[in-house]
Amino acid sequence: MRRLLVVWLILSSLVLTMEALAEEESVYSAIDEHALHAPADAEATLEDLATYLAAPAQNDEERARAIYRWIAANIDYDVAGMTAARIERTPEEVLAERKGVCSEYSALFSRLCELSGLEAVVIEGFGKGYGYTVGSNVPDLSNHAWNGVKIDGEWRLVDTTWGAGYLDPEDGFVRRFEDFYFLTPPEELVWTHLPEDSDWQLLDDTISRDEFEGLVYAKPAFFDNGMKIVRPLEGTIDGTLGANVTLSAPEEVAVIADLLDEEGQKLPRRFTMVRRSSDEVLVMVACPGPSNFTIRIYSRRGDSIDGAYDWTLDYRMIAGPNAREEPGFPQVWDIFWDLGLDFGSKPEGVITTGSDLNVTFSVPEDVLLLARLLDEEGQELPEDRTFAQREDDSYVVRAAFQKPGNYTLRIYAKKAGDPSGDYSSAIEYSVLAQSGIDEMTYPRATGYFAEAGASLRRPMEGRLVAGAAQEFDLSVPGAEEVAVISGGEWTPLSKEGETFRGEAALFEGEAQVAARFPGERSYRVLLEYDVL
């Protein structure tokens, strides 16, 4: 119980807003620029460097910032030295060689602080860094070092090593400046940094080794994007029947998720689905079978410059020996939830069917759907292989398969009357068709059909027979007249409220169903058929 309480207190204290971060970045821009443009003669000795970096600083925080920014930009992580047995470099040697490991980064920061009139210490402990997986035990020996620096009489926390970049299994050290590790709030740094001396947690209620091991693995994006965990608070969860993770995130923050196997390989996206409702995010995970997995969550702010998602959280999901593989979920884009769509049928991600398929959705009155079928090479099939329309209280999407095989059913959505006219990807299914009928098609519906809220009852076949009378029955709200056009002949349909019915003779070629609306002289084509 205490463990959960401590975690909850940590979560509740995350009050650093994006507005405050933006303000800090603007405050640091000048001192950062100074640190990044140190001339060669200012870097000759530690004393020269400290003098240069501190020259324009107005206070303790700017002096510490200049040192942090210079180290992050100029010292490479010594990947080979991480495991090699050798004598530790002095700060002077780190400056000369321009590389080091975490203890050497920290010693250099501490020495430059001392030369700049700041009090700093090296903190040793355990860091959830390179090679760490969520739920792992903390080793007995320390594996990381960072710093405490006194700013205006108050101890603050800094990690120059992680501020400089990260280690990649293939590329080695990748330089990428991370602002998060400068003066990181203690309640945030403790998620990944456990000092040997608990006093250096700088928390009123410190956490134990067991509590540290049990935490969710949180990355800087979690805090930078103003996110919080609603449940579960524990980093390791039972996934025998799948799992749900509920987060709180600002509406402008987008969230996606992957499921990784024990080797860290991504499993098909169908095993995860993210559902958004205002500022609450539900990450649903299906069980792939008995094993241990990692639920990896990513996030991105709407104003992100490169549009990339950042690694945000990891959970460990344990599926016991009795776990069975679940079909998973469809791939769902944010617009599915944003437009108020919901499942009427087929919530599973993989559908096995015969030669055709019907999928229903709950869709608001002002939202339109469009569907397309893709083959197993990802090539879009002719539009007459799908048909989407509103029927009673549901939106029905139909698909017809030419032959047995694997297909993708992709469904698009947009607001009715949207001036851009663009549909956006909303949801996608993987479909295994066990049979197929080559001649089975649907009529081709134009944009006017959807915009008018029309609904077709017959004929639903896209290929009709020439030389015989064909019965037509459809609803077209708001239309004054509806006619069938074939072989140059127009056959008006009888109107009963919003319903139009009648028979029309068909000629080889293309037949159209068109409607005229109040205040308009011309007809709009709603449907097209092939007449053979």
Side-chain angles (χ1 to χ4, degrees):
M1 184 67 183
R2 177 183 178 273
R3 180 173 178 172
L4 290 175
L5 178 60
V6 170
V7 175
W8 176 250
L9 289 172
I10 293 173
L11 286 165
S12 300
S13 63
L14 303 181
V15 296
L16 188 60
T17 64
M18 291 306 297
E19 288 79 8
L21 284 172
E23 182 181 349
E24 285 187 7
E25 289 172 358
S26 65
V27 169
Y28 293 143
S29 58
I31 198 69
D32 284 356
E33 191 72 11
H34 175 75
L36 292 172
H37 290 85
D41 60 350
E43 300 173 343
T45 67
L46 290 176
E47 290 78 8
D48 292 337
L49 180 58
T51 299
Y52 170 83
L53 294 175
Q58 301 296 309
N59 49 49
D60 290 350
E61 188 169 325
E62 288 193 353
R63 281 195 289 275
R65 175 68 181 200
I67 296 168
Y68 176 82
R69 193 66 188 90
W70 186 91
I71 293 176
N74 290 278
I75 306 301
D76 289 336
Y77 191 84
D78 184 6
V79 179
M82 181 171 59
T83 55
R86 60 177 179 78
I87 299 175
E88 186 167 302
R89 297 179 181 90
T90 65
E92 288 78 10
E93 291 169 332
V94 174
L95 175 64
E97 299 179 28
R98 298 299 177 98
K99 63 181 179 180
V101 295
C102 60
S103 58
E104 295 163 343
Y105 273 84
S106 302
L108 175 61
F109 179 85
S110 185
R111 178 60 177 150
L112 286 171
C113 283
E114 178 186 349
L115 293 170
S116 301
L118 295 172
E119 187 177 353
V121 297
V122 174
I123 302 170
E124 294 185 345
F126 180 77
K128 296 179 179 178
Y130 179 73
Y132 172 80
T133 56
V134 60
S136 300
N137 294 329
V138 175
D140 293 332
L141 298 177
S142 295
N143 71 343
H144 191 48
W146 58 100
N147 292 98
V149 57
K150 188 170 284 188
I151 304 294
D152 298 327
E154 179 184 359
W155 284 105
R156 307 289 296 276
L157 299 171
V158 170
D159 189 335
T160 51
T161 312
W162 289 14
Y166 61 92
L167 296 181
D168 182 87
E170 296 182 0
D171 300 329
F173 174 65
V174 177
R175 185 177 299 285
R176 178 184 174 183
F177 177 68
E178 180 54 74
D179 189 76
F180 177 77
Y181 295 108
F182 178 70
L183 306 187
T184 313
E187 64 273 9
E188 297 180 6
L189 194 67
V190 78
W191 288 63
T192 51
H193 292 61
L194 184 72
E196 287 185 344
D197 182 349
S198 61
D199 287 345
W200 282 111
Q201 292 181 27
L202 302 185
L203 296 171
D204 292 334
D205 294 309
T206 59
I207 68 171
S208 68
R209 175 186 291 255
D210 287 343
E211 290 164 345
F212 179 75
E213 290 175 349
L215 285 173
V216 179
Y217 185 25
K219 305 289 282 185
F222 175 71
F223 306 101
D224 290 344
N225 289 335
M227 302 172 67
K228 294 183 181 180
I229 296 172
V230 178
R231 57 185 172 274
L233 300 178
E234 298 287 348
T236 300
I237 54 182
D238 181 6
T240 302
L241 299 176
N244 288 343
V245 173
T246 305
L247 307 172
S248 171
E251 291 190 35
E252 68 272 16
V253 174
V255 177
I256 60 175
D258 282 321
L259 191 64
L260 282 58
D261 63 19
E262 287 193 277
E263 285 70 46
Q265 300 299 310
K266 290 183 181 179
L267 297 177
R269 183 59 64 84
R270 65 185 174 87
F271 288 109
T272 61
M273 184 167 72
V274 178
R275 178 168 189 164
R276 187 68 186 250
S277 177
S278 186
D279 63 350
E280 184 172 280
V281 178
L282 174 63
V283 179
M284 295 173 279
V285 184
C287 179
S291 191
N292 295 332
F293 305 93
T294 298
I295 304 170
R296 181 156 296 170
I297 298 170
Y298 307 83
S299 63
R300 173 180 62 82
R301 296 192 73 85
D303 57 0
S304 172
I305 295 175
D306 59 7
Y309 283 82
D310 293 316
W311 182 4
T312 302
L313 285 176
D314 275 1
Y315 280 88
R316 184 185 187 195
M317 187 177 90
I318 300 176
N322 297 324
R324 294 184 297 179
E325 181 177 350
E326 298 176 334
F329 310 98
Q331 182 174 349
V332 175
W333 284 265
D334 282 348
I335 194 172
F336 184 88
W337 310 115
D338 292 344
L339 292 181
L341 279 67
D342 207 344
F343 297 99
S345 68
K346 310 298 184 186
E348 65 273 19
V350 179
I351 302 173
T352 301
T353 187
S355 59
D356 63 348
L357 171 67
N358 288 1
V359 184
T360 63
F361 300 94
S362 172
V363 180
E365 289 291 334
D366 61 345
V367 174
L368 309 177
L369 299 186
L370 178 150
R372 290 292 181 264
L373 203 59
L374 287 68
D375 64 19
E376 53 190 336
E377 281 78 41
Q379 298 299 310
E380 188 174 294
L381 298 177
E383 59 185 277
D384 61 8
R385 289 289 168 183
T386 56
F387 190 80
Q389 68 176 5
R390 194 179 296 278
E391 298 180 18
D392 299 323
D393 295 331
S394 299
Y395 222 108
V396 180
V397 174
R398 293 175 167 84
F401 306 100
Q402 182 181 14
K403 60 183 179 180
N406 294 310
Y407 296 86
T408 298
L409 177 60
R410 184 172 297 160
I411 298 164
Y412 305 83
K414 75 165 188 173
K415 280 274 192 181
D418 183 350
S420 71
D422 294 333
Y423 283 83
S424 299
S425 298
I427 186 169
E428 181 176 288
Y429 291 92
S430 296
V431 182
L432 171 60
Q434 297 179 321
S435 60
I437 302 175
D438 180 54
E439 61 272 17
M440 184 176 179
T441 63
Y442 300 103
R444 296 180 294 277
T446 69
Y448 291 127
F449 181 86
E451 290 283 356
S455 178
L456 176 67
R457 284 179 282 275
R458 66 175 68 88
M460 193 59 74
E461 301 81 8
R463 298 174 184 176
L464 304 178
V465 179
Q470 174 68 54
E471 183 180 358
F472 288 82
D473 185 350
L474 68 158
S475 172
V476 187
E480 289 190 340
E481 297 177 356
V482 173
V484 178
I485 310 167
S486 180
E489 295 189 7
W490 288 61
T491 304
L493 300 180
S494 299
K495 179 178 180 181
E496 298 176 16
E498 295 182 345
T499 298
F500 294 83
R501 295 189 180 94
E503 290 187 348
L506 301 179
F507 302 89
E508 286 190 8
E510 184 179 78
Q512 298 175 329
V513 178
R516 186 178 64 81
F517 295 89
E520 298 181 357
R521 298 181 62 184
S522 59
Y523 280 70
R524 299 185 183 188
V525 176
L526 305 179
L527 298 166
E528 297 174 342
Y529 293 85
D530 292 323
V531 183
L532 308 175

